[in-house]
Structures are given as C-alpha cells and as structure tokens.
Amino acid sequence: MSIIFLILPITLLLSLGAVAAFTWATRGGQFDDLQTPAIRALHDALPPASPEGRVRASKS
Amino acid sequence: MTAAVDLTTTPPRAPRVACAHCGLPVGESDVTLDGPSFCCSGCRSVYAIVQGAGLSGYYSYRAQEQATTARPVTSSSRKYQELDEPSFLAEHVAVDQDGQKSADLLLEGIHCSACVWLVERVGRVVPGVTQARLDLSRNVVSLRWDGERTSLSEIARGLESLGYPAHATTQSRTQAVRERDRELLLRLGIAGAAAGNVMLMAFALYSGAFSGMELSYRALFRWASLAIATPTVFWAGALFLRGGWAALRTRTPHMDLPVSVGILTGYVGGAFNTVTGHGEIYFDSLCTLIFLLLVGRYLQQSHHRRSSNQSELLLALAPQTAHLVEGDTERDVPANAVAPTATVRVAAGERIPVDGVVLRGSGSVDTSLLTGEPMPLEAHVADRLYAGTTCQSGELWLRVECAGTATRIGRLMASVEATQRERAPIVRLADRVAGYFVVAILGVAAFTLAFWLHFDPSRAIDHTVALLVVTCPCALGMATPLSVSVALRRAAAAGVLFKGGEFMEELARPGLVVFDKTGTLTRGQPELVTWMGDAALQAPLRAIEATSTHPLARSVQRAFPENDLRVEEVEELPRGGITAIVEGERVLVGSPALVEQKLGALPQWVNKLVETNARRGHTPVLVVSGGRVGAVAAFGDAVRPEASAKLQELTQLGFTFEILSGDHQSVVDGVARQLGIAPSKAWGGQSPEDKLEHVAALRRRGERVIMVGDGVNDAAAMAAATVGIAVHGGAETCLRAADVFATRSGLAPLAEAARGSRRALATIRRGIAMSLAYNLAGIGLAMAGLLSPLVAAIMMPLSSISVVTLALRSKSFEEEKS
C-alpha cells in the first residue's frame, strides 16, 4: 500500500496539469463567447474576407 | 351632421405578403407580383447589396430560423466620419506591427444566428477587411482591417448597408469587464478542481475512520488536503473573505460575513488539527462550500452582464454626431465637441444634437421626451430648440448655444447622477437576514464553548469549530443569487430588464406608482380621436394627407384606408395647413385660426366643437370643402387600450397611483378620469424639477415610490424614486436613470414585473427558510456533540441541492406569449 505515497503526488500533478490547461484557456478568451462559435460551425465555407483579403487566425 | 365616431379601435388590416428582407408584412400597394416584395426602401436596398455581393446565403440561413424579432431596416444616411477622427482612433483603434488595425463596434439590428454569417462576411462588401467576428450575445463585432486599403468609417457604412447601423463601444470598459469575468471563471474552475480532489481524499479518510487506517496514510491524506485547501480558501475564496472584511469595517450586514466566519474557523481549526494529528479536518466541506458559492456568484454575474449588454446597446442610440456646417461644406463631428456659435444642420428624422436657435429652415419638432407634450411643435426661425428632441419633418439649421454637458439635457443628466449617488442603497433581504444570522451564530457558538468547557474541556474547541463550519450559510448564500438570476432571466424573456435583483425585491412590495402620462399611459403620439361632420370628406382628406409628412398627416394615414382619388395642385400653407384639388373640388385642411382667416367667422357648431376639444386637450383640424366647413377632426394622445385593465391588476396587488405630467392639467384630468384615478392625484404642468421635488417629498413621507416614465423630464424623478421604471421607446437619458426597463411596449410588462417580482420574492423567502432549517438541525447536532465531519459533509451539499432545485423550479415570470 505504500505505493500511495507515489501515486497521490502523481495524481495531484495530473490535476495541476488540468488546472493549468484551464487557466491557459480562460486567459486566452476561449470562454468569453459561448454562443456564437457554435453557430459559426454550422455555416458553410464561403470565405469571410474578400477574395483578395488575407484570412488570418484570431489573436486576442 | 355631428355624429361622433370613435376611430381608435379600427383593427389593422391582415398581412398577406412578407418582406423579402426582414420578413415583416408588406403593405398592399408595395406588393410586387413578379419578384420579391419589400416593406420599405431600406429593406429593398439592403436586399440588393446582399445579393450583389454574392451573400444570398444569408436568406437561406435565415429561413431555418424562427422569425424572431426582425426589424425593418432604417437607413440613417450617417457618414460615420466621427469614427475617423484622431481622438476616436487614439482611444478605440489598435494597430499591430504589420499595419493591421483592429477595433470593436456595437451593432444595432442583430436578431438571429444568420446575422453572424452576414456580418462576418462584411469583407465582401468592403474590400480590405481581413477579419470580422461577431459576438452574438453582446452585439459586438471585432474587426481587423488593412489600414492602407480602407477606413473604419467605410466599414461602418458597409455594415449599415447590410442593415446593421454601427455604434462606438467604450472599449477600455469592455476589456476590464472581460478580465473580471475571466478571473471569476478561473476561481470557479480551480475551486471545483480542488473540491473534487479533496473530496476523493476525504472518502479515503472517512472509510479509514470506520475500518481503521495506518497513521502514516492518514497523515498523508490530511496534509495533502491542507495543501489543496490553502490556495482554495485564500485565492478562490478571497472574494468572500474580502467581502466579509468590508462588511465588518463598514458595519453593514452582508452575506459574506457569516460565510467568512465559517470558512476561516474551519480552515484554522482544520490546519491546527492537521499539524497536531488529532481531531477533525473540514477541508472537503470548505472546498465544496467555496465552489458552490462561486457557482452562485458566477450565475449572478453572467446574468448581470447580459442585461447590461442589452442596455449598452440602448444607450448607444444616443445622438452622437452633429452635421457641422462650415461655409459650403459640411462634416460630421461628435455632438459634444461642437463649439457655441457654430452652425449645425438637422435633417428630418434626426435627434437634435445641441441646444440652439433656428437660423434657417422650418420643421415640426417632437419635444415629448423633454417636456411630455405629445403634439409636435412647429419650429421657425429664431425659435429655441433643445438637444434630445427630434426633428420629425422639414430641415433646420441651428446656431449652437451650447453642447454636451452644458445643454439642458446635459444639466438634467448631471442632477440625475447626483440624485443617484445620494440615494441610500437598498439592503437586500438575504443581507438583512445575514446580519441577524451572524449575531445568532456567534451567540450560540459562545454558549456551546462555555457549556463544553464546563463539562468536557478537551472537546470544547472541536465542537465549537464543528458548529461554526456546519452553520456556514452555504445554502443561504446560494438561495438568493440563484433565485434572483433565474427570475431575472425569466423576466428578460418576458420583456422586463432589471438592473439588479434588489429592485425586484423592492417591486415585490406594494407602493405608490407615479406615472408620467405621455408615452406611458398614452401612446405618446397624436391619433385621430374623433371625427365630427360629413363622413364623405374622409376619403379626400386621406388623399391630401398622403402627400404630407406632417405628424398629424401621418395620423390621418393610419386612421383611414388608402384610396386613389386624384389630387392636384397641393400647396402646404404656413401655420399647419394644406390645400389641394381632389377630384375637381378644392379642399382646405387647417387649424381653426387658419380657416377663420380664409373664410371669415366660423359657424356656431364649429366654434362649439373647437372649444370642447380645446378643453379636452385635443387639437381640432377643420376640413373645408365647397367653401364651407364640412367636418372637424380632433387629434389627441389616446390612452393605451390595455391601460385600464393593467391598472386594475396592479390595484389588486395593492398598488396606488398618481399621475405627474408636463402636459396641460385639463388633458391630465381627462386621462385620470378615463382610468379611474382621482383628479386630486393627477398633476399637470410639471417641469422636470417639479417632478423631482414631488417624488422626493413623497419619499420623505415614507412612501415607497415607483416612478414610471419615458422621457428626459422623468429621469431625475426616476433616480429619486425607490424604483424607476422606463417604458419601451423612452429616451436614453431616461434609461440611464431607470432601474428597470421594459423591452415591450405598453403597460403589460409593468404588471408582469410586479407580479413576477412578488413570486420571485416568495421563492427567495422559501429558500432562506429552508436553509435556515438545515442550519438549525446542524446547530442542534453540533451543540450536542453529535456532529461528525461526515455528517457535515453530507448535510452541506444536500441543503445546497435542495435550495438550488427549489430556485430552478420556481415559476416567477411568465414567458412572453406572442
């Protein structure tokens, strides 16, 4: 049973990883708008910008 | 000859064809048989632009939607030059390394998910836009564009051409708000993760407590729990500790105070026991508690955000620009930057941006939002006009006297803000309960400590800590925010927006409702009220008035069906008259004074009618045909059809009424009589300052005053009232002063707000009673020394879950039925 001394810290480290990922996602604005992205996914692939305009990834 | 006909109840004709752009019914004369029909020219031009840019996909997406709140397009012909002013660019537009600019704009007219598709493809109409992302819940589009190829004003014009007029947002504010939202979500997430992990270890500890466990393992779990609980309490829970400290320092009761006491004693007791290796730890309960409380806080905040987003859009509809005339050229500038003695032009349909004197031109001006006078005024050279009024027809050039905060409306706003600052905050029911609660708990804790010190000193501290932890009012702290946010969400769906839950609590108790008359009890626009005389003249009158944009002409157009009589030689006469030849017969329409000037003395029966109508506050208009007066049409501000029934509903809820109006006393008396309000409670001729003083006097007498209004003239009084309610279609100043506002027209939302608030408060009371019952049981067990941490750990979530279920199942507001 003394394996628990090893497993418990590992588990906690895993949780810490999840918390870090959540922190990163929140700070990056992934949860700012929970409504529009769901709708956007359903729209077809007509490029949002004018044909000659560059389409760039979001950076916020 | 003088049979009176009531024309206010004519039903509208049934719709047949839907507008190809907005989906609203199209008038009979506008139906096109071979192709799409449009309700207005605005929709027609948007349709053409959307089709021309290859964006017709919008209509197929829109077809999948339920026809929601589509509105016809109103073209403002704004040039948006103010968006290119250096001061605006410096404040709102960010530039990155490769010359790309970005900014946010608030859009009007967003109503469905197909709008997302269309707005994000604005680049097809305005080349140079590299990215457009719409946030549907905030009505805000984030734009990136190539600064070399286009400008923000051009993009804004492009968005307007698609049917979405744009407005500036206050970006620094939204950024701060976004940071706050993210931080709360982060606290919530971390508290959740901590609660889950501590609970897993608590399971091991509890089963160990029953079946035996080696001390080294037990110590491991306890120390690990302490390690996780420490950041949870002091970072995620800092919100409550800070609130509790503030409540203590300012000596105002607040829910955070008992919560902090529970969290801190639990943490200190648990940490002490972890170090010594004896006694109980409460970390699982503490982490769950903090997590659940944060859930309540998060729901409350996200609701608050939603309603402030909606009000931000309403506020953005303010007059922000003025057409500044310099010699022969004209440019748009921010309205508050106009210097005195400059000249501005105001076109028909626009809000007047400054206080000034008419230099040139004439038009009819709707001053109802400022004065409560429903009839438009005729403005001529040398007349003084005020910012916030609307030029309904004609065109005016004004010499600016003052702009921005120096205008009459600006000064009124300043007094609104001052009144709001002075107003004592409403103490929420839950906070009031918390005040007593904390005293009671500390008393009971002291008693428990003394009792156990006397009988069994070794266990006294443990039992006292257990008591304080179990009575930590988790359910109490969640009951109110949850019930309130559920109720507020339902209220918003029913067409009532509350700026905060405290106003709902205030509205739940009966009080004195003070109405402004114009626009609230009445429609706020002139309607044809009675027709006396020859009914055969209605058709010629309708034909003549179809050529005019005068407000009274529009009332005639609404009142009578369209016809195709031949109209020739139309001539608008000064002082509100019009003449034309209809089917070969000369017809003159005008005020009694005008007609008297043309025809000489009026017949006896006409004079009598004119006098009666003037006494009632109605405006008489004479129709002359064949050289003699054939009919008298009276225009007035009609009482809303549902007003009487809704006032009755409110009476049953225990409310009483008064009317405070800027209109003439005789008109106010007439409306009061019609609605069954005592004439002694109806006050006419009230200036904004009178209204403020009246409401303040009522409050000094200890009345709970609910001020209902729609205009700038009510704003100060609304700010001074216990609760200020703005009805649909009011001025933005009024919205700023209001605590509650209706998004549907009429008085139905008001009655619904009162009824729903009462039901919501009942739910809050039930929630509080239920959580107090749980606490009482906990106190009993803890005092008797029977409360193990396991019982505490089960009881706390159980009480929260039952309170949450109660809050979610309550039906406070009825959904809109239409």
Side-chain angles (χ1 to χ4, degrees):
Chain A
M1 268 303 277
S2 37
I3 190 72
I4 197 91
F5 284 100
L6 185 64
I7 288 177
L8 190 67
I10 291 177
T11 326
L12 291 183
L13 274 181
L14 282 177
S15 320
L16 206 64
V19 165
F22 179 70
T23 309
W24 171 81
T26 309
R27 293 250 150 93
Q30 296 286 326
F31 302 110
D32 284 357
D33 180 6
L34 300 175
Q35 200 182 352
T36 329
I39 293 161
R40 200 174 282 134
L42 299 175
H43 291 157
D44 68 14
L46 186 63
S50 52
E52 68 271 34
R54 283 175 299 158
V55 182
R56 292 169 47 113
S58 162
K59 203 166 70 177
S60 61
Chain B
M1 187 99 169
T2 57
V5 187
D6 185 13
L7 292 153
T8 48
T9 51
T10 322
R13 277 166 295 158
R16 291 201 191 88
V17 180
C19 173
H21 177 70
C22 69
L24 292 179
V26 176
E28 263 171 75
S29 59
D30 296 325
V31 172
T32 322
L33 291 176
D34 48 348
S37 299
F38 301 94
C39 64
C40 58
S41 60
C43 285
R44 184 189 304 278
S45 60
V46 170
Y47 187 84
I49 289 166
V50 169
Q51 294 288 358
L55 294 172
S56 55
Y58 168 68
Y59 296 106
S60 52
Y61 285 122
R62 231 259 323 272
Q64 298 159 13
E65 298 278 325
Q66 296 295 322
T68 44
T69 50
R71 255 165 296 163
V73 178
T74 47
S75 162
S76 66
S77 69
R78 276 172 62 196
K79 294 192 182 64
Y80 294 100
Q81 281 157 339
E82 73 278 8
L83 298 183
D84 292 337
E85 295 279 320
S87 62
F88 183 88
L89 291 178
E91 199 183 331
H92 291 92
V93 178
V95 186
D96 62 12
Q97 308 92 325
D98 47 351
Q100 293 270 312
K101 295 185 177 178
S102 55
D104 288 354
L105 286 178
L106 197 58
L107 296 185
E108 226 180 299
I110 301 282
H111 58 85
C112 67
S113 62
C115 295
V116 178
W117 190 86
L118 192 54
V119 167
E120 296 192 346
R121 276 151 190 79
V122 67
R124 297 199 148 235
V125 182
V126 187
V129 177
T130 47
Q131 191 192 314
R133 308 283 274 183
L134 179 70
D135 184 334
L136 194 57
S137 54
R138 290 168 56 221
N139 297 323
V140 167
V141 62
S142 302
L143 294 159
R144 289 175 65 79
W145 69 97
D146 190 342
E148 306 272 292
R149 297 174 53 207
T150 187
S151 64
L152 192 54
S153 62
E154 206 172 312
I155 302 172
R157 284 198 294 275
L159 285 167
E160 181 171 318
S161 75
L162 293 177
Y164 307 103
H167 302 276
T169 61
T170 42
Q171 198 183 20
S172 52
R173 203 187 69 93
T174 46
Q175 192 59 36
V177 163
R178 196 179 299 159
E179 289 301 323
R180 238 191 344 264
D181 284 354
R182 286 179 186 172
E183 166 140 335
L184 184 59
L185 185 63
L186 211 54
R187 284 180 202 269
L188 173 65
I190 289 176
N197 281 296
V198 173
M199 217 185 289
L200 282 177
M201 290 187 274
F203 272 122
L205 285 172
Y206 291 140
S207 55
F210 287 116
S211 55
M213 187 184 214
E214 264 180 57
L215 275 182
S216 57
Y217 293 134
R218 185 163 167 265
L220 172 71
F221 284 126
R222 285 161 70 107
W223 278 100
S225 300
L226 175 64
I228 298 175
T230 306
T232 314
V233 168
F234 292 105
W235 187 72
L239 227 57
F240 305 106
L241 300 183
R242 234 179 287 143
W245 173 240
L248 204 59
R249 219 180 31 202
T250 57
R251 288 168 206 290
T252 42
H254 194 275
M255 208 62 233
D256 284 348
L257 187 58
V259 169
S260 304
V261 170
I263 292 177
L264 278 182
T265 27
Y267 179 77
V268 172
F272 182 78
N273 288 346
T274 310
V275 176
T276 58
H278 300 289
E280 310 294 356
I281 58 168
Y282 302 95
F283 298 131
D284 54 331
S285 292
L286 290 182
C287 291
T288 319
L289 176 78
I290 292 170
F291 173 63
L292 290 176
L293 286 170
L294 283 170
V295 169
R297 200 58 72 93
Y298 183 76
L299 289 177
Q300 193 177 16
Q301 180 160 328
S302 61
H303 169 78
H304 185 75
R305 198 68 69 229
R306 247 201 310 276
S307 64
S308 62
N309 284 338
Q310 290 179 41
S311 52
E312 190 184 358
L313 184 63
L314 291 170
L315 293 180
L317 311 182
Q320 290 166 321
T321 59
H323 310 302
L324 184 66
V325 182
E326 289 167 324
D328 297 338
T329 60
E330 188 182 297
R331 64 191 176 95
D332 289 359
V333 294
N336 48 14
V338 181
T341 73
T343 306
V344 297
R345 184 180 64 87
V346 185
E350 286 182 345
R351 196 69 64 82
I352 294 174
V354 295
D355 284 5
V357 175
V358 180
L359 278 181
R360 194 142 68 80
S362 68
S364 70
V365 175
D366 176 7
T367 61
S368 64
L369 291 179
L370 198 60
T371 60
E373 165 82 51
M375 287 294 168
L377 300 173
E378 293 300 324
H380 301 288
V381 173
D383 283 350
R384 167 162 302 155
L385 297 176
Y386 294 102
T389 54
T390 311
C391 175
Q392 285 193 322
S393 63
E395 195 170 25
L396 297 163
W397 281 263
L398 301 178
R399 193 186 69 236
V400 181
E401 292 200 320
C402 50
T405 50
T407 58
R408 190 170 165 199
I409 187 176
R411 289 199 305 274
L412 219 56
M413 267 315 289
S415 82
V416 166
E417 270 160 27
T419 317
Q420 264 175 337
R421 265 199 308 276
E422 285 161 21
R423 183 159 76 164
I426 298 168
V427 180
R428 313 276 308 258
L429 179 62
D431 292 336
R432 235 175 305 145
V433 171
Y436 297 114
F437 188 79
V438 84
V439 174
I441 290 303
L442 290 180
V444 173
F447 176 77
T448 313
L449 187 70
F451 178 86
W452 284 100
L453 275 178
H454 189 69
F455 290 99
D456 185 357
S458 67
R459 306 185 57 193
I461 299 283
D462 273 351
H463 287 333
T464 311
V465 170
L467 176 93
L468 286 173
V469 172
V470 79
T471 51
C472 186
C474 170
L476 197 56
M478 278 187 86
T480 313
L482 255 180
S483 314
V484 168
S485 64
V486 167
L488 292 187
R489 204 167 51 234
R490 295 231 169 94
V496 188
L497 289 177
F498 287 87
K499 280 198 188 156
E502 61 269 36
F503 305 113
M504 193 156 72
E505 290 185 20
E506 282 297 320
L507 210 54
R509 272 160 284 198
L512 175 65
V513 184
V514 180
F515 287 102
D516 166 46
K517 178 188 69 73
T518 315
T520 44
L521 293 173
T522 64
R523 288 178 195 275
Q525 57 182 15
E527 294 289 342
L528 183 56
V529 194
T530 47
W531 173 275
M532 280 158 273
D534 191 354
L537 284 174
Q538 287 174 359
L541 175 66
R542 174 68 175 83
I544 293 180
E545 299 290 13
T547 64
S548 170
T549 56
H550 191 276
L552 290 186
R554 283 192 215 138
S555 327
V556 172
Q557 289 165 21
R558 277 195 299 273
F560 299 125
E562 211 174 321
N563 57 50
D564 47 11
L565 294 182
R566 201 155 39 83
V567 181
E568 294 158 318
E569 292 181 35
V570 182
E571 190 193 345
E572 295 225 15
L573 305 170
R575 283 193 288 155
I578 190 167
T579 178
I581 295 177
V582 184
E583 297 286 337
E585 179 112 38
R586 167 68 64 181
V587 177
L588 167 73
V589 183
S591 63
L594 183 84
V595 173
E596 197 164 6
Q597 183 196 337
K598 298 254 172 200
L599 294 187
L602 298 172
Q604 185 64 35
W605 68 272
V606 175
N607 270 329
K608 224 167 84 191
L609 278 177
V610 167
E611 201 183 302
T612 329
N613 279 313
R615 215 174 32 242
R616 280 195 215 146
H618 295 161
T619 307
V621 169
L622 273 45
V623 186
V624 180
S625 174
R628 56 181 197 85
V629 179
V632 178
F635 295 85
D637 191 11
V639 172
R640 288 182 188 277
E642 82 281 8
S644 194
K646 292 298 165 192
L647 288 197
Q648 227 149 43
E649 273 180 46
L650 287 172
T651 311
Q652 278 164 10
L653 291 172
F655 290 94
T656 48
F657 311 106
E658 277 193 20
I659 302 180
L660 271 187
S661 176
D663 214 345
H664 307 292
Q665 184 70 49
S666 56
V667 186
V668 179
D669 283 344
V671 171
R673 221 177 4 256
Q674 230 174 315
L675 292 172
I677 297 172
S680 61
K681 298 281 181 197
W683 318 82
Q686 300 272 311
S687 72
E689 293 76 15
D690 293 341
K691 289 188 178 186
L692 171 62
E693 186 41 48
H694 188 96
V695 169
L698 286 172
R699 293 221 50 194
R700 276 196 296 275
R701 280 213 319 252
E703 295 267 10
R704 177 194 306 279
V705 183
I706 296 144
M707 176 79 204
V708 185
D710 75 328
V712 176
N713 55 343
D714 309 313
M718 277 162 57
T722 321
V723 182
I725 301 180
V727 297
H728 183 67
E732 72 284 347
T733 318
C734 170
L735 294 177
R736 215 165 302 186
D739 308 308
V740 181
F741 46 85
T743 55
R744 280 189 296 149
S745 58
L747 290 172
L750 181 64
E752 187 54 42
R755 241 177 306 132
S757 297
R758 191 158 294 189
R759 281 194 294 262
L761 193 67
T763 312
I764 293 173
R765 286 219 182 89
R766 270 201 300 277
I768 288 176
M770 195 186 242
S771 53
L772 284 182
Y774 274 109
N775 275 326
L776 217 57
I779 289 172
L781 288 174
M783 282 175 76
L786 295 173
L787 187 80
S788 70
L790 183 60
V791 175
I794 292 170
M795 223 165 99
M796 221 179 272
L798 193 68
S799 66
S800 300
I801 287 166
S802 44
V803 167
V804 169
T805 319
L806 188 75
L808 294 180
R809 284 191 49 78
S810 64
K811 288 201 175 50
S812 42
F813 286 82
E814 275 152 31
E815 302 281 323
E816 189 180 351
K817 295 183 206 75
S818 67

